[in-house]
Amino acid sequence: MTGVPLAEELLLLAYDDETGKATLPRISLDLGMAAAVLIELALAGRIAYADGALTAVDPTPTGEPVTDAVLAKIVADTPHSPSSWVQRLRHGLRDRILGDLCEQGVVRDVDETELGFIHVHRYPVVDPSVEEETRQRLAVVLTGAAPDERTAALATLVAVLRMESALGVTGEDADAARQRLEEIASGAGFSGEVSLEDSVIRPSVALVVAALGRAVEHALGPRR
């Protein structure tokens, strides 16, 4: 695996750089983190969909600690459906990814106390270069340029999680951005009807995306 993990890119987009607070509901973000790691493993050829379940097809570590921890869990467990894995993996995953970003010096952990005893953590950005590169890639494809596979996967996650506002667009521009993100997802074979006769990666990612979409809709209600 090369580059910044999808889950880290998604998390940086989802947090306000200055306040260090999440800009979307925690439940959808947690679900998104789980889906992002599963998609990462599918793109890396480590997991695949077969007989109604996601299973490990290559146990070789990717070199990224959080991703490899999830891979080890999938290798050791019995097969589960994409929906089951999205739900099983979401607990605690965001905190582990935030911890890694803190260790890398990308964000810092600001531990504050509210009402005299409630600890609240914020994660303002220290090194903006990672997020800037991510935003630049998405900005380019939003203008109509063809995305690479990883950027298409990230665009798909942004669309499913209803994160258009995180890209700095509002109103009609947000509507246009959402439509373009959905076009990218469909064009890459990461959403909609995907034949299981296609390459292993496409149906694996598409089914994780579908599972994420159902989970987000259940948590937040249908998109209006």
Side-chain angles (χ1 to χ4, degrees):
M1 189 179 77
T2 59
V4 179
L6 289 172
E8 290 188 3
E9 291 190 302
L10 192 66
L11 194 59
L12 289 171
L13 291 174
Y15 272 71
D16 184 273
D17 291 355
E18 295 184 3
T19 67
K21 295 180 179 180
T23 60
L24 69 157
R26 296 297 181 92
I27 178 63
S28 58
L29 182 52
D30 288 343
L31 292 165
M33 293 295 97
V37 176
L38 290 170
I39 290 171
E40 190 81 68
L41 288 169
L43 294 180
R46 301 304 196 271
I47 64 173
Y49 179 83
D51 299 325
L54 286 176
T55 58
V57 293
D58 181 357
T60 306
T62 66
E64 200 287 309
V66 174
T67 305
D68 288 341
V70 171
L71 176 59
K73 187 170 185 177
I74 294 174
V75 169
D77 207 339
T78 55
H80 295 287
S81 69
S83 293
S84 178
W85 276 122
V86 167
Q87 293 291 347
R88 284 167 174 266
L89 295 172
R90 68 181 177 88
H91 301 288
L93 194 56
R94 174 166 45 87
D95 288 339
R96 292 199 295 273
I97 295 168
L98 283 168
D100 272 9
L101 288 170
C102 287
E103 289 182 5
Q104 296 170 40
V106 178
V107 301
R108 63 190 178 95
D109 183 355
V110 179
D111 184 356
E112 299 176 332
T113 302
E114 294 183 356
L115 301 177
F117 64 95
I118 301 176
H119 282 274
V120 177
H121 291 263
R122 298 187 296 108
Y123 299 90
V125 167
V126 176
D127 177 3
S129 62
V130 175
E131 185 178 353
E132 286 175 358
E133 194 276 336
T134 298
R135 289 184 177 279
Q136 287 172 4
R137 290 192 354 258
L138 287 173
V140 169
V141 301
L142 284 177
T143 65
D148 59 34
E149 189 172 60
R150 292 181 61 78
T151 304
L154 179 62
T156 301
L157 287 165
V158 170
V160 175
L161 292 173
R162 313 176 189 184
M163 287 176 59
E164 296 86 3
S165 61
L167 303 181
V169 292
T170 57
E172 293 183 358
D173 289 339
D175 293 337
R178 179 170 62 251
Q179 181 177 352
R180 174 58 182 154
L181 292 169
E182 291 173 350
E183 289 173 354
I184 291 169
S186 179
F190 292 158
S191 66
E193 295 297 327
V194 178
S195 171
L196 297 185
E197 300 299 321
D198 293 342
S199 70
V200 170
I201 289 176
R202 295 305 187 275
S204 298
V205 173
L207 290 164
V208 170
V209 168
L212 174 62
R214 291 191 297 270
V216 170
E217 184 168 322
H218 178 75
L220 304 182
R223 183 193 286 273
R224 296 181 179 179

